Amino acid sequence: MSKLMRAPRECGSWFWDLDEVAEPGLESALATASRMSEALVGLELLAPAKLEFGWYVLDIGTTGIRSSLELTTQLGDPSLPERLLGSRPAAFPSAKIDDVHVIGTGKWIDAAGQSHQEPQLVDLSVSPAPTGLSADLSVHHDIWAWYDFSGKPHPEVYHHNAPRLAAALQELSRVLGVSPEPGDPTYFGSSTPEGLAIPEAYEDGLGPDLTSRL
C-alpha cells in the first residue's frame, strides 16, 4: 500500500537525447532501458516488474491502445522485443510501439531513517522512435523536495532521499554517456541537473501549499 501522496504531474523530470550515442528502434530502446534499470536497481530506486507501452501508426498517430507485459525475464533478454511485438493490436497490423515505460517499486526513507517500498517511486521510459532514441526519468513525490506538499520543511526526509536522486542522475548520465536536460517546471516542482529546485520560503518559513491539486 502506498504511504506517499503522488502528484498528478511530475515534480521533476529529466530527458536524455541519445540520438548520437545509440541506434533508434525497439531492441536498442530495451537495451538502454536495461542499462538504466540496472543503475536504478543498484540505488534501490526501481525494481522492474512490468512494461507498459502504447501503439501508433505512422502518418496517422496513436491508436489509443496500451499494452502491459509482466517481466518474467530480464530486460536484456533477447526474446523480449518479439514478446512486446507479439501483443500488437489485431486491428492495427502496422502499428509500432511508442514509449516503453518500466514499472516497478523503489525504496524511500522516512524522517526516522526507516525504509519503505513505494510503487512507481521513479518513472522510467525509453522512446524507440525512428527519429532518434531518447529516455526520460520523472518523480511525482515530495520526498525529493525540501518542502512537503503542504509547504512544511521536512529536512530529514530531504537529506535521506534527495542525495539518492542526485546520485541516480549522475550514474544514469555516466551509463548513457550523455547529460540530461531538466524538464519544464510544473505546478509541483522545478528540475535542476542535480534534482529539484528549492523554492523561496515565505515569511513564515513555509513553502507553497500544493495540496489543493493533489
Side-chain angles (χ1 to χ4, degrees):
M1 179 181 295
S2 175
K3 294 179 178 293
L4 299 176
M5 289 189 290
R6 181 181 174 89
R9 290 285 310 279
E10 62 271 17
C11 300
S13 64
W14 297 267
F15 173 84
W16 285 266
D17 184 348
L18 305 175
D19 184 38
E20 296 185 358
V21 296
E23 295 294 324
L26 181 60
E27 292 82 1
S28 181
L30 291 174
T32 299
S34 177
R35 292 161 58 208
M36 297 179 74
S37 294
E38 286 178 5
L40 294 171
V41 167
L43 293 165
E44 300 183 283
L45 294 177
L46 175 64
K50 67 178 178 179
L51 301 178
E52 291 183 354
F53 45 97
W55 297 89
Y56 72 96
V57 176
L58 284 174
D59 301 323
I60 296 178
T62 180
T63 65
I65 297 172
R66 292 187 65 80
S67 300
S68 176
L69 179 70
E70 299 293 329
L71 278 173
T72 56
T73 62
Q74 298 295 320
L75 268 171
D77 190 312
S79 69
L80 196 56
E82 285 303 315
R83 292 181 61 201
L84 267 68
L85 293 171
S87 64
R88 178 184 282 117
F92 300 94
S94 64
K96 297 183 180 297
I97 289 176
D98 206 345
D99 296 354
V100 178
H101 297 262
V102 183
I103 309 298
T105 60
K107 184 178 80 173
W108 68 280
I109 304 170
D110 64 23
Q114 298 295 314
S115 63
H116 307 272
Q117 293 294 324
E118 180 72 16
Q120 291 185 259
L121 185 68
V122 300
D123 288 351
L124 171 64
S125 66
V126 180
S127 171
T131 53
L133 200 71
S134 62
D136 185 272
L137 184 79
S138 62
V139 295
H140 290 71
H141 302 97
D142 61 7
I143 61 169
W144 321 106
W146 182 257
Y147 301 102
D148 66 17
F149 283 138
S150 68
K152 298 176 182 177
H154 56 174
E156 294 86 359
V157 172
Y158 175 83
H159 287 305
H160 283 316
N161 296 284
R164 300 170 62 229
L165 176 59
L169 295 171
Q170 184 177 28
E171 178 63 11
L172 289 173
S173 297
R174 185 194 67 79
V175 166
L176 298 172
V178 178
S179 297
E181 302 172 17
D184 293 334
T186 72
Y187 181 79
F188 299 98
S190 180
S191 310
T192 73
E194 296 79 28
L196 301 185
I198 299 177
E200 290 188 18
Y202 300 133
E203 291 183 0
D204 56 7
L206 299 179
D209 184 346
L210 310 176
T211 54
S212 64
R213 296 195 184 181
L214 291 178

